[in-house]
């Protein structure tokens, strides 16, 4: 982005009676507080804050980096996680879980030692996002190919079932009362299913939103915030399926969070911005700003204690030539430049 702040036009297709507007230019709601050098090689996906342990877990190539949020230093690495995507922790059980998309497994690890526990757990194809649900004491591993979710006992890691969700699943959320939500990327839907029976109860279409990835959730007002790849954020009533608003966001989105303390929805856009949208009321939303981050900073995590936002990126080198095996190559990543960006108000 050339400008630090720009006002974007409203997306069309808002539900009748719903108001959404763009705020006038003002002071940016978030600014860069710290850059945490991590280094190493490889790409990245999800990052996860553990507020109880004051740690940040980063997917990075074939391993997970662990950052102490008090010192902002890397304090450990969990290796042998090929194609790592998601990480979540179960503090009460001293367990963590990691999805490995390259070999269709999940690694369970000890939060204190960071050592793997037992053999990798087989999953459905292309395990990607995952979620610990305290209500059911289960960990849900979501496949981004084929619509399956492998369900684990959060304490033991034992497989307790498979949810058939009917599409390629992206980011999930929970209401803490037995209802789980997830974006269905290939069908442009957001669904609700039961954390215990695993039955899908509701399917909500997201059109004009397409290919949803990041998902934020406001349990107080039953609002789902689906960040879509065609640069739209779709707000849905989780109870009725009514589409409340459609708002413009930046390009290359992959993550979204909702902070109840600020009533802000923030999407992380790989083009190099956070789009910040304020929930003025459950039916009124304002695009506040597009905050500069960095190219490739596509995922996001919120620390619910400090209300800081985290994203990660690295420097890019040349793009390799296209081949028959890789017709759309990505730019190369400069070794040693992987880093975390921490933002606050």
């Amino acid at each position: 982005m050339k400008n630090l702040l720009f006002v974007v036009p409203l997306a069309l297709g808002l539900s009748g009676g719903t108001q959404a507007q763009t705020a006038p230019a003002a002071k940016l709601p978030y600014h860069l507080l710290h850059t945490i050098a991590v280094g190493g090689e490889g790409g990245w996906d999800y990052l996860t804050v553990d507020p109880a342990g004051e740690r940040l877990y980063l997917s990075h190539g074939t391993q997970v980096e662990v950052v102490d949020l008090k010192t902002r230093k890397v304090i450990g690495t969990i290796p042998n996680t090929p194609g790592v995507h998601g990480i979540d922790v179960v503090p009460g059980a001293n367990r963590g879980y990691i999805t490995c998309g390259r070999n269709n497994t999940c690694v369970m690890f000890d939060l204190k030692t960071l050592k793997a526990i037992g053999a990798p757990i087989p999953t459905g194809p292309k395990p990607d996002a995952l979620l610990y649900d305290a209500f059911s004491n289960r960990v849900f591993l979501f496949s981004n190919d084929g619509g399956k979710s492998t369900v684990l006992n959060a304490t033991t890691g034992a497989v307790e079932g498979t949810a058939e969700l009917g599409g390629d699943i992206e980011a999930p959320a929970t209401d803490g009362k037995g209802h789980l939500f997830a974006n269905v990327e290939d069908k442009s839907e957001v669904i609700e299913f039961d954390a215990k029976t695993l039955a899908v109860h509701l399917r909500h279409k997201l059109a004009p939103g397409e290919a949803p990835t990041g998902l934020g959730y406001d349990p107080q007002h039953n609002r789902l915030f689906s960040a879509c790849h065609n640069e739209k954020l779709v707000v849905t009533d989780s109870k009725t399926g009514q589409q409340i608003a459609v708002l413009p966001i930046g390009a290359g989105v992959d993550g979204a969070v909702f902070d109840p303390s600020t009533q802000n929805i923030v999407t992380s856009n790989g083009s190099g911005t956070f789009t910040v949208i304020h929930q003025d009321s459950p039916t009124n939303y304002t695009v506040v700003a597009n905050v500069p981050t960095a190219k490739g900073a596509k995922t996001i995590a919120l620390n619910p204690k400090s209300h800081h936002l985290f994203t990660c990126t690295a420097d890019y080198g040349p793009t390799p030539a296209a081949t028959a095996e890789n017709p759309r190559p990505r730019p190369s990543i400069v070794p040693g430049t992987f880093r975390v960006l921490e933002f606050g108000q």
Side-chain angles (χ1 to χ4, degrees), residues 118-295:
I121 303 163
T123 70
K126 292 180 65 177
D128 195 311
L130 78 168
L131 176 71
Y132 165 56
D133 175 54
F135 179 87
S136 61
N137 192 41
R138 286 174 158 180
V139 175
F140 295 80
L141 317 172
F142 296 94
S143 289
N144 191 241
D145 183 10
K148 295 182 183 295
S149 173
T150 305
V151 184
L152 308 180
N153 181 292
T155 302
T156 67
V159 176
E160 293 191 340
T162 301
E164 298 285 351
L165 303 178
D168 298 343
I169 303 301
E170 275 287 346
T174 176
D175 68 357
K177 299 176 182 178
H179 305 98
L180 271 63
F181 309 94
N183 284 329
V184 186
E185 186 176 17
D186 60 326
K187 295 186 177 179
S188 298
E189 296 176 337
V190 62
I191 62 171
E192 177 201 322
F193 69 101
D194 192 288
K196 291 192 173 181
T197 69
L198 308 183
V200 176
H201 293 318
L202 297 170
R203 291 185 178 275
H204 306 314
K205 294 293 185 182
L206 293 174
E210 299 174 358
T213 53
L215 181 65
Y217 178 57
D218 174 9
Q220 181 181 1
H221 301 111
N222 307 311
R223 294 292 182 262
L224 293 163
F225 308 107
S226 296
C228 300
H229 261 271
N230 62 337
E231 300 177 35
K232 300 180 190 299
L233 180 93
V234 180
V235 184
T236 306
D237 186 314
S238 65
K239 296 289 188 182
T240 67
Q242 178 187 3
Q243 194 170 104
I244 304 300
V246 180
L247 299 117
I249 59 175
V253 66
D254 205 27
V257 295
F258 173 73
D259 187 347
S261 72
T262 61
Q263 297 290 298
N264 283 340
I265 307 110
V266 184
T267 68
S268 49
N269 313 313
S271 55
T273 61
F274 286 155
T275 299
V276 183
I277 297 170
H278 189 260
Q279 182 173 247
D280 305 322
S281 76
T283 56
N284 294 274
Y285 297 83
T286 300
V287 178
V288 175
N290 281 270
V291 177
T293 54
K295 180 183 177 182

